[in-house]
Amino acid sequence: MPLLPEEPQIHESAQGPVATPASSRVAPTPRPVPGPRPAAPVRPGRPGPPRPAPPAQRAPRDVVPATPSPSGPAVPAAPAAGPQIQLIPASAEGALDAAEEALDLLLDSGRAPGEVLVLTTGARHPWAEHELSFGEASYWAQQDAGDDVFYADGAMAARAATRPVVIVAVNGDDDAAAATALPVAHQRAGTLLIVCGDPQRVNAVLGAGV
C-alpha cells in the first residue's frame, strides 16, 4: 500500500545527535528542529526563489562537554559515531515537497542556510538547475562559499562537501540511484541526516549500505 506523507513536527534533541546502528531499521520520526544559527548573506545578482531569513544568532551548539579525568584535568567526551537519522515518510512524487518543508522548518528555526545540503535521487531540484545554468564553475563555487543551501543530485553527491545537515529527497523510482545516494549522504552529514521517502525503500537501502 503506498504511504501518504505525514505532517510531524520537527524537533531536535538538546542532547545532540543519536547514533543509528547499521543493522537497525530507521523508523519514521518527527522532523528535527535545530536551534538558531547566524544568518547568511544573500548572494548578489542571482535571480531565484527567496530564502527564509534565520532568526538571531545564538551560542554555538556542537560543543562537547568536558568530563573529569581521574588522573588529570577534564577532557572532552567522545562524540557519538555517525549522524542522527530522521525519516519522513513520503511517496516518490511527494518526496521533494517533504524535503522543502523540512528545509523551511530548519531555516525558520534558525539553521544557517550554509549548514544544509539537499540531495535528490531522481530529478534535480529546480534551484540546482538554476545554478547550473551559470556553468559548473559558478555552481561549485557556491558550495565552496558555504553561505547558502546547496542542492545536488545523486550523481553529484560524491563531490558534495560535508555539511552539518543533509536532506535527501528519494524522489525517483530508481532504486539503484537511491542506493548510491543514501550512503554518500550519510557520509556527508555531520550531525543530522533527514531522508524523505518510502520507509520500506529507505530502510532496505540504509540497512544494506550504511
Side-chain angles (χ1 to χ4, degrees):
M1 180 181 294
L3 297 175
L4 297 178
E6 298 182 2
E7 297 294 337
Q9 295 296 318
I10 293 187
H11 63 84
E12 184 177 4
S13 171
Q15 297 180 353
V18 177
T20 301
S23 60
S24 64
R25 296 176 63 83
V26 180
T29 56
R31 301 179 184 178
V33 178
R37 298 296 178 106
V42 178
R43 288 174 295 144
R46 288 291 185 85
R51 291 271 172 247
Q57 183 178 5
R58 67 168 186 179
R61 289 183 53 84
D62 302 324
V63 177
V64 180
T67 56
S69 171
S71 58
V75 295
Q84 178 183 356
I85 301 176
Q86 301 272 344
L87 174 59
I88 299 176
S91 64
E93 296 76 16
L96 193 57
D97 288 339
E100 279 295 308
E101 182 180 351
L103 173 61
D104 288 342
L105 289 170
L106 287 167
L107 297 179
D108 288 343
S109 74
R111 272 286 180 184
E115 295 184 342
V116 184
L117 168 67
V118 178
L119 298 176
T120 58
T121 64
R124 284 175 181 161
H125 190 283
W127 190 263
E129 292 284 5
H130 169 72
E131 291 298 325
L132 282 166
S133 70
F134 294 95
E136 286 206 14
S138 174
Y139 172 77
W140 291 109
Q142 180 201 348
Q143 173 183 251
D144 296 339
D147 59 1
D148 204 351
V149 179
F150 189 71
Y151 297 86
D153 61 24
M156 300 174 174
R159 188 173 171 182
T162 298
R163 291 198 173 188
V165 181
V166 176
I167 303 174
V168 182
V170 186
N171 63 329
D173 295 325
D174 188 348
D175 287 340
T180 299
L182 284 173
V184 174
H186 186 267
Q187 295 171 358
R188 297 296 183 270
T191 59
L192 181 63
L193 172 62
I194 304 172
V195 183
C196 305
D198 178 83
Q200 291 185 343
R201 292 180 64 197
V202 171
N203 276 308
V205 172
L206 288 178
V210 176

